[in-house]
Amino acid sequence: MKRGLLNYNYYSFRKNEKAAVIFLLKLLILLFFLKTIFYFYNTPLTGIPSVITTGNVFKILKWSFANDGLVLLMINTPFIVILALLSLVKLKKPLVIIVTAIFLTINFLCIFLNLVDVFYFHFHLQRADADLLYVIQHLFQKTILKNFYSTIIGLVIAAFLFYLLFRIHRKILQQFHEGKRFLFAAVIMLFCCLIFFASGRNKLIPTHPLVELNSIELQFVQNSFHTFIYSVYRKDEAIVHINNYMPDSLAHKFIPVYKTASSSDTIKKNIVLFIMESVPEDFFHESGKYKVTMPFFDSLVSVGKYYNNAYSFGRSSNKGITSILAGIPTLTDIPLYHSNYASMKITSVGNSLDNRGYTSSFFIGDNFDDFGFAKCANWLGIQHYYSKEKIPGHDRMDSHSMGLHDKYVLDFMGNQVNKMQQPFFAINYNISTHYPNNLPKDYKEKFPVKNFSDQMKSMSYYNECLEKFFHDAAQQTWFANTVFIFCSDHWMDPDARFLTNDVVQSFHIPILIYDPGDPKGKLITAPVSQFDILNTILSISGNTKPFISYGENLLKKDPDMNRVVFSIQNSVLCQAFDSSYVLGFNTFTGKPEYCFNYKKDLSRNNNLVNGPYNSNVDSLTIFMKAFLQTASYHYNKSGSFK
């Protein structure tokens, strides 16, 4: 009798629960397959030859299956429980079909987002987060839809994935109609969820695997659906936690943010700022492989101040615009001007210049408020915002995937600037150098051999557009009394056919200042930052009031060769640069992960963190902690911030 009961339970399990187990295993295998593709496609982008070694392979596999299993458990426990409950009552088939269709859709979104991240990862080097909500319009409406073959391939892959998932869900639905109840599976899955929540909610955080892994390995075990949902969930919460590494007074001493005016000059020059989209320093590096042949830009460098050791704070446009125009770091997943921290204490560049008698204008060939730039401009007190819709005849003009080509926007900007009362502040955010770097149909590259990549060709086109703008501007009375500033919003691969990532070069951008009244070429090798642009603008305007900025004035006489500047790799890894070293700091563990002498160790083989004591590691770590503490204090206690 006892044996019969055991046999009954075993066969009952096989009959009723096997389908649920196989259902979950199929989904887990599909996610693991995508993760394997993700690893082999993106490993070269990490800057390290191979992430998985004999010593950590089991840790990576363990956390990979744990993360994927958690996601599938959270998605499908309600599904299996509902099916189990429906098996106990007499209900019509349509209700069961609707429930299955809902969870089929959710599982498809989970699988598809992990697939998309295989290819999207290299743009920002971290798994999908809430920031995707602010660029998805560009991804689908502009980039993919204007690239026919990419669209077709994407639709085919999506359809194939949906078909696989449809068959997996149809199988369990068929077995439900055959009388399978899944009661035991539902109880077990509910029990696992309860145990999981009882063991600590911190395990729900996508960065939890950092208890055993480093930040580079983390990307290979995370689930994109998990990181995205968690980021969306917390985007409206106070997510920037105050770091306490040292007394606040000491942190503020290392990172002084509340600045006194650096100039009392009453001469107010016009300021024209060119924010260059996705332009890497590689295009300006004379001995580099990707030096673009661009005669006009080269002539500007020869008579201007060129900063060849400049760094962006982040890897995206929405971080770049805030760093450049507000002089502050973005520590949120979503753009700062979309977050609850938009009310934090900042220096409004438009309002500050307005107090000095300036009018301010922003020019871009994109649609109105794409990327939220119109909101950002208004947030910063910029008086006039000119997007594509403001340009007469824009519907008949040749367009880049992202908007109007630079020629049309710069021509329009020139005409508007000619009408402005001096002094004025004008910003041009160009588009044509943005990926996928498509160019006007009638454009012919003058140096096709030397400018061999699409990215280099788009820079060459931008160079010609600027040449015409400056030729026309030089005929105007305002030109001689104007300072022109060029700064890239972030680094991007100089050749998209050969994707790379280096802890230094991937943040290395060009900054150039040209003053027709002082045409003396000078090369500045001191470390500088996007944060310095605000200070420089206010200095040129003759600002005499205190302001908030994490930068310095680029035009001061003696650049600080010992200065430390900062960048952010992803949600857990920040970097500090001085004139020779770069340090990577894990904000989750509160410890440095790497430090390289980037001037001598070009291959980044000698990680000084793992070697004997090195004073540079300690020094950069202190600066990094002071920066993070000051910035987090600024975000959370803005009212008392000084």
Side-chain angles (χ1 to χ4, degrees), residues 87-160:
S87 70
L88 300 177
V89 297
K90 292 184 178 181
L91 291 172
K92 294 181 179 179
K93 277 187 178 181
L95 184 58
V96 179
I97 294 173
I98 290 171
V99 170
T100 305
I102 290 172
F103 284 94
L104 166 62
T105 303
I106 297 173
N107 277 306
F108 172 73
L109 291 174
C110 172
I111 298 294
F112 187 67
L113 192 55
N114 278 275
L115 174 67
V116 168
D117 239 7
V118 171
F119 306 101
Y120 187 67
F121 175 79
H122 83 268
F123 285 103
H124 60 166
L125 283 188
Q126 66 181 39
R127 290 280 188 161
D129 57 24
D131 184 56
L132 193 61
L133 296 173
Y134 301 92
V135 299
I136 197 168
Q137 176 185 1
H138 298 269
L139 181 65
F140 288 97
Q141 294 182 8
K142 294 186 175 181
T143 303
I144 293 179
L145 293 181
K146 290 203 173 187
N147 291 271
F148 178 76
Y149 293 109
S150 298
T151 303
I152 295 299
I153 292 172
L155 290 174
V156 168
I157 294 174
F160 178 70

Side-chain angles (χ1 to χ4, degrees), residues 8-73:
Y8 172 80
N9 287 339
Y10 170 72
Y11 288 114
S12 177
F13 171 79
R14 283 193 60 182
K15 179 181 178 182
N16 291 284
E17 318 304 337
K18 183 179 178 180
V21 173
I22 292 176
F23 170 76
L24 293 173
L25 281 176
K26 286 179 178 178
L27 294 176
L28 188 62
I29 291 170
L30 187 54
L31 280 175
F32 180 72
F33 175 72
L34 291 177
K35 192 159 285 183
T36 302
I37 297 175
F38 180 92
Y39 171 78
F40 284 107
Y41 184 79
N42 288 294
T43 292
L45 306 182
T46 63
I48 295 177
S50 179
V51 174
I52 296 182
T53 63
T54 305
N56 66 4
V57 61
F58 292 109
K59 287 182 181 178
I60 289 178
L61 288 174
K62 178 187 75 173
W63 283 108
S64 178
F65 281 118
N67 275 327
D68 290 343
L70 170 64
V71 170
L72 293 178
L73 184 69

Side-chain angles (χ1 to χ4, degrees), residues 23 27 76 79 100 103-105 107-108 164-174:
F23 170 76
L27 294 176
N76 293 291
F79 179 43
T100 305
F103 284 94
L104 166 62
T105 303
N107 277 306
F108 172 73
L164 284 179
L165 290 169
F166 172 75
R167 291 198 57 171
I168 292 172
H169 285 74
R170 185 180 66 176
K171 183 68 175 178
I172 196 169
L173 186 61
Q174 287 175 344

